[in-house]
Amino acid sequence: MPGFRAFHRFSMTYKKKISLKDIAKKAGVSTALVSYVLNGKEKESRVGIAMTEKIRKIAQDLKYKPNYVAKSLRSGKTLTIGLIIADIANPFFANIARVVEDQAKKSGYTVLIGSSDEKPENFKDLINVFVNRQVDGLIIVCTEKSSKQIRILQEKNYPFVLLDRYFPELDTDYVSIDSHQASFSATDHLLKNGFHKIGFIGYESELFHMQERKRGVISALEEAGIQPKEAWFKDIGFDKVETDMKNAMNEMLRAEDPVHAVVFGTYRLAINGLKYIRQLKIKIPQQLAIVSYGQAESFELYECPITYLEQPLGELGRKAVELLISKLHDPQRQSQRILMETKLKIGESSKLPHP
Amino acid sequence: MPGFRAFHRFSMTYKKKISLKDIAKKAGVSTALVSYVLNGKEKESRVGIAMTEKIRKIAQDLKYKPNYVAKSLRSGKTLTIGLIIADIANPFFANIARVVEDQAKKSGYTVLIGSSDEKPENFKDLINVFVNRQVDGLIIVCTEKSSKQIRILQEKNYPFVLLDRYFPELDTDYVSIDSHQASFSATDHLLKNGFHKIGFIGYESELFHMQERKRGVISALEEAGIQPKEAWFKDIGFDKVETDMKNAMNEMLRAEDPVHAVVFGTYRLAINGLKYIRQLKIKIPQQLAIVSYGQAESFELYECPITYLEQPLGELGRKAVELLISKLHDPQRQSQRILMETKLKIGESSKLPHP
């Protein structure tokens, strides 16, 4: 832990500040010399041990508090990383934030988090706040309509890594899961368990990963020789999940050719869907089978334990930090694109119904 | 939304910067005059409209990017609030963070979040990082052993509000729930439902709110004329929840005088306890009744819907922001201490067993 972060030295605006000049005067040396010592550069600057100690002692006696904003302005290093997540109330992001913190801490970085709540304007604000506050780099979970910001960061060669969501057309570092493969495997599992009419409920979103989650279901159905019906695929507005979910479920279940199984594209969609299914007194999996993205540590405590796609949270978070730190050390290195696999954790909600 | 946060203007270190001097030169005026205009002080400084427009136009043409770190250094205002939470992976804090963000946004503030993971050293780091990065003020969920830091902030008259946890001996702003009343009401509910041997599982913690949660159970038992047994009260180490929980449950259930009901002091404790109860195949509420603190939007989807103490999350978060902003406007105002009531949301886990 670098000593300069010790709490008692933080710079406050409410007290008259002791400057390097004050210390220099008392020590009878130049301000530059004091600066060398207090910035730990006494060796390179060949300041003797006795003088180094004298200056440190005076600084301590005068209760000198370095001004870190001014300092980071000069050195350009802050040992902080900014993490922008899409929704802090979503346990997937909250848990990944925890991993990112732990991992960053191991390399001496403190993480500051901002949540965009999936709002492009909040996302923009957060990018500004972080860049203007000069964190060393960013780990970013994008919202919709954020590709322009990402493009600008990229042009400026600002160090960042995309997490969970990415733009296939942009040549940036990213760490994500293979959503197409995940949806494909979930659908394949349902098909093998005897469910053939399989729907997907996702967010109304242009984001690539959400599109892939839908496409994966469609691919698996088509590969099994089943023609996916339009009524089986529903998009939910992020800001009206409750009402959209009711409409979507009603339409899927009351369609001419109703679904037998649903894949939920996120944890929050699953929670909302399950609440409504409970209200309708629909039995899982007898009347409707369920597989969900996103993981809650409590999925297995549910009335009907939910089959879900376990994302490698720990690996995702750790890799993102690793990529960012390597970028900080080598800003010119080639970008790395990493897609990880999910694992299907089989609960009761996707089991073959006994006729 | 203040214009200066527009993304395209953010200051980057990779480009040659246009300075006020460059603009002044081109406009043929003093740097001070340019500074007045670009800081919106043209009226106070009696700069004419034509000159104001000329300077703005030149700044725009040159793509002038103000340096915000330097700027906030001078103005002392950043329009950011720091929020330190105890554990981002806990939905209680994640959800409260969401409320704080929404509320702060309404007043034009962006929130940066740090999570201490209940570790005093992380907490200390975060206080430093936030104060050194000069956010305008802090909303703080304390960890253990943090009273010293709080005391220092208080002495410096640094603007902050404590959330959820507080130190009754310190005269600070705080917004929390009345934990004693909450535990009392949970226990009273269990007593009325016919459970008389009631235990409490909390964290091993010196924090006041955790002590109060235990004391509330004890008070209710004593008031009902029941002598609480030591074996009914267990403290779990934050870093070894799984093993401690198993030991605690085993001891409580196998005691000479085993408990009939347990109150869990937090959501995470409840999840872990419930997983173990499930493993043991103990039936809720027939063999063991449960009431829990902390709320998950999914508690009601559990195999046995859990009775829980609903904390007024929205109100807690909103009030904390309100208090902080009022403190920013009036740093000398008296501190305000606010305790809110919880509501018992009755599920199936605390229902009277039919003998």
Side-chain angles (χ1 to χ4, degrees):
Chain A
M1 197 52 49
F4 70 79
R5 293 216 232 145
F7 178 83
H8 60 279
R9 296 205 213 151
F10 71 65
S11 71
M12 302 291 317
T13 45
Y14 303 92
K15 254 192 173 173
K16 173 173 173 350
K17 274 187 198 133
I18 299 298
S19 69
L20 293 183
K21 220 169 156 180
D22 299 325
I23 300 168
K25 207 172 153 190
K26 195 147 186 197
V29 299
S30 72
T31 312
L33 206 143
V34 173
S35 168
Y36 292 145
V37 171
L38 298 182
N39 286 300
K41 292 183 180 159
E42 65 277 7
K43 278 183 196 154
E44 299 98 291
S45 315
R46 284 175 291 169
V47 184
I49 291 181
M51 183 52 76
T52 300
E53 278 176 4
K54 182 176 173 187
I55 290 170
R56 289 224 176 99
K57 177 79 173 51
I58 293 171
Q60 208 175 357
D61 291 347
L62 294 178
K63 290 182 180 152
Y64 170 69
K65 295 170 190 75
N67 184 325
Y68 294 111
V69 177
K71 194 166 179 165
S72 74
L73 200 59
R74 288 190 303 269
S75 77
K77 285 278 180 288
T78 64
L79 285 181
T80 51
I81 288 175
L83 169 66
I84 300 180
I85 55 182
D87 179 12
I88 197 172
N90 179 334
F92 174 73
F93 294 118
N95 282 307
I96 224 167
R98 176 86 177 265
V99 175
V100 166
E101 270 166 8
D102 284 351
Q103 186 66 15
K105 206 89 202 160
K106 284 181 195 159
S107 304
Y109 286 85
T110 298
V111 177
L112 297 183
I113 304 160
S115 170
S116 67
D117 292 350
E118 302 280 3
K119 294 191 184 104
E121 61 279 16
N122 290 5
F123 181 83
K124 223 163 145 174
D125 277 356
L126 283 169
I127 293 265
N128 276 320
V129 166
F130 276 125
V131 173
N132 290 334
R133 306 258 91 201
Q134 298 190 333
V135 293
D136 291 341
L138 285 171
I139 295 176
I140 302 172
V141 180
C142 294
T143 58
E144 279 204 292
K145 302 193 183 88
S146 60
S147 70
K148 195 181 151 197
Q149 273 86 38
I150 300 304
R151 228 183 274 269
I152 297 175
L153 287 176
Q154 202 181 14
E155 280 164 15
K156 307 269 185 191
N157 204 18
Y158 186 87
F160 71 94
V161 174
L162 299 186
L163 178 59
D164 184 53
R165 302 163 183 191
Y166 62 100
F167 301 95
E169 70 277 17
L170 295 184
D171 179 30
T172 70
D173 277 353
Y174 64 72
V175 186
S176 182
I177 58 155
D178 186 341
S179 287
H180 192 279
Q181 171 268 330
S183 282
F184 193 98
S185 76
T187 309
D188 191 52
H189 162 76
L190 287 165
L191 286 165
K192 284 190 177 131
N193 275 4
F195 304 97
H196 293 103
K197 296 171 181 177
I198 302 169
F200 174 80
I201 298 185
Y203 281 122
E204 209 170 80
S205 169
E206 63 187 26
L207 284 167
F208 184 70
H209 77 296
M210 195 47 76
Q211 296 303 324
E212 285 286 274
R213 291 183 184 189
K214 184 178 177 176
R215 281 194 286 261
V217 174
I218 293 174
S219 299
L221 286 172
E222 287 178 342
E223 197 155 297
I226 295 160
Q227 179 58 41
K229 299 273 160 70
E230 218 185 297
W232 301 349
F233 295 84
K234 298 290 177 191
D235 295 333
I236 305 289
F238 191 80
D239 283 328
K240 39 182 178 146
V241 172
E242 221 167 305
T243 48
D244 277 11
M245 180 59 74
K246 286 185 182 173
N247 294 334
M249 295 292 311
N250 289 340
E251 284 168 33
M252 283 173 121
L253 294 167
R254 290 172 196 160
E256 212 173 292
D257 207 3
V259 292
H260 295 154
V262 172
V263 177
F264 286 107
T266 77
Y267 167 74
R268 188 166 157 240
L269 290 172
I271 294 288
N272 276 278
L274 289 169
K275 280 190 180 164
Y276 188 53
I277 288 167
R278 191 185 172 94
Q279 240 182 69
L280 295 177
K281 296 193 198 320
I282 288 173
K283 287 218 169 92
I284 303 173
Q286 293 85 341
Q287 294 172 274
L288 189 69
I290 302 287
V291 177
S292 180
Y293 270 85
Q295 64 226 70
E297 53 177 341
S298 59
F299 260 158
E300 58 195 86
L301 293 171
Y302 284 13
E303 186 170 10
C304 174
I306 303 298
T307 297
Y308 65 94
L309 290 156
E310 187 182 47
Q311 302 183 43
L313 268 178
E315 276 312 297
L316 285 167
R318 276 189 289 275
K319 196 71 196 172
V321 173
E322 195 188 290
L323 284 189
L324 181 59
I325 290 179
S326 86
K327 190 85 180 174
L328 292 176
H329 291 153
D330 177 11
Q332 301 309 327
R333 77 147 165 72
Q334 292 276 305
S335 63
Q336 290 194 36
R337 305 154 165 238
I338 295 167
L339 285 185
M340 294 182 179
E341 294 228 336
T342 53
K343 216 162 68 190
L344 196 69
K345 299 287 275 188
I346 297 171
E348 303 286 323
S349 67
S350 59
K351 279 204 174 160
L352 187 67
H354 300 284
Chain B
M1 195 55 47
F4 69 78
R5 295 218 233 142
F7 177 83
H8 60 281
R9 294 205 215 152
F10 71 67
S11 72
M12 303 292 314
T13 45
Y14 304 92
K15 250 190 175 175
K16 160 147 187 13
K17 274 186 198 136
I18 299 297
S19 68
L20 293 182
K21 219 167 154 182
D22 299 326
I23 300 168
K25 208 171 152 189
K26 194 148 186 193
V29 299
S30 72
T31 312
L33 206 142
V34 173
S35 167
Y36 292 147
V37 170
L38 297 183
N39 286 301
K41 291 183 181 158
E42 64 276 6
K43 278 184 194 151
E44 298 98 292
S45 316
R46 283 175 291 169
V47 184
I49 290 180
M51 182 53 76
T52 299
E53 279 177 3
K54 182 176 171 185
I55 289 169
R56 289 224 175 101
K57 178 78 172 51
I58 292 172
Q60 208 173 358
D61 291 347
L62 293 179
K63 292 183 179 150
Y64 169 69
K65 295 169 190 76
N67 184 325
Y68 294 109
V69 176
K71 194 165 180 164
S72 74
L73 200 60
R74 289 189 303 268
S75 77
K77 285 275 182 289
T78 65
L79 285 181
T80 50
I81 288 175
L83 169 65
I84 300 179
I85 55 182
D87 179 12
I88 197 171
N90 179 334
F92 174 73
F93 294 118
N95 283 305
I96 225 168
R98 176 85 177 264
V99 175
V100 166
E101 270 166 8
D102 284 351
Q103 187 66 16
K105 206 88 205 161
K106 284 181 194 156
S107 304
Y109 285 85
T110 297
V111 177
L112 298 184
I113 304 160
S115 169
S116 68
D117 291 350
E118 302 281 4
K119 296 193 182 100
E121 62 279 16
N122 290 4
F123 181 82
K124 222 162 146 177
D125 276 355
L126 283 168
I127 293 265
N128 275 320
V129 167
F130 276 125
V131 172
N132 290 334
R133 306 257 93 201
Q134 298 189 335
V135 293
D136 291 342
L138 285 172
I139 295 175
I140 300 171
V141 180
C142 292
T143 56
E144 280 202 292
K145 304 194 182 88
S146 60
S147 70
K148 194 180 151 197
Q149 273 87 37
I150 300 304
R151 229 184 274 269
I152 297 175
L153 288 176
Q154 202 182 15
E155 278 164 16
K156 307 269 184 190
N157 205 18
Y158 187 88
F160 71 94
V161 174
L162 299 187
L163 178 60
D164 186 51
R165 304 163 182 190
Y166 62 99
F167 302 94
E169 70 277 16
L170 295 183
D171 180 30
T172 70
D173 277 354
Y174 64 72
V175 186
S176 182
I177 59 155
D178 187 340
S179 287
H180 193 280
Q181 171 269 330
S183 281
F184 193 99
S185 78
T187 310
D188 191 53
H189 162 74
L190 286 165
L191 286 165
K192 283 189 178 131
N193 276 4
F195 303 97
H196 294 105
K197 296 171 183 178
I198 302 169
F200 175 80
I201 298 185
Y203 281 122
E204 209 170 80
S205 169
E206 64 188 24
L207 285 166
F208 184 70
H209 77 297
M210 195 48 74
Q211 296 303 324
E212 284 287 273
R213 289 181 186 189
K214 184 177 176 175
R215 282 194 285 263
V217 174
I218 294 174
S219 299
L221 287 172
E222 288 178 342
E223 197 157 296
I226 295 161
Q227 180 57 42
K229 298 274 160 71
E230 217 186 299
W232 300 351
F233 295 84
K234 298 290 177 191
D235 294 333
I236 305 289
F238 191 79
D239 282 328
K240 40 184 176 149
V241 173
E242 222 166 303
T243 48
D244 276 11
M245 181 58 76
K246 286 184 182 174
N247 294 334
M249 297 291 311
N250 289 340
E251 284 168 33
M252 284 174 120
L253 294 168
R254 292 172 194 159
E256 212 172 294
D257 207 4
V259 292
H260 296 154
V262 172
V263 177
F264 286 107
T266 76
Y267 166 73
R268 189 166 157 240
L269 290 172
I271 294 288
N272 276 278
L274 290 169
K275 281 189 179 166
Y276 188 54
I277 288 167
R278 192 185 173 93
Q279 241 181 68
L280 295 177
K281 297 193 195 324
I282 288 173
K283 288 218 167 94
I284 302 172
Q286 294 85 339
Q287 296 172 272
L288 188 69
I290 301 287
V291 178
S292 180
Y293 270 85
Q295 63 225 71
E297 55 177 339
S298 59
F299 260 159
E300 60 195 85
L301 293 171
Y302 284 13
E303 186 171 10
C304 173
I306 303 299
T307 297
Y308 64 95
L309 290 156
E310 187 181 47
Q311 302 183 43
L313 268 179
E315 277 310 299
L316 284 166
R318 275 190 289 276
K319 197 69 197 174
V321 173
E322 196 188 288
L323 283 189
L324 181 61
I325 290 178
S326 87
K327 190 84 181 175
L328 292 175
H329 291 153
D330 177 10
Q332 301 309 327
R333 77 147 165 72
Q334 293 276 305
S335 63
Q336 290 193 37
R337 303 154 167 239
I338 296 167
L339 285 185
M340 296 183 177
E341 294 228 338
T342 53
K343 216 163 68 191
L344 197 68
K345 298 287 275 191
I346 296 171
E348 303 286 324
S349 67
S350 59
K351 280 203 173 161
L352 187 66
H354 300 287

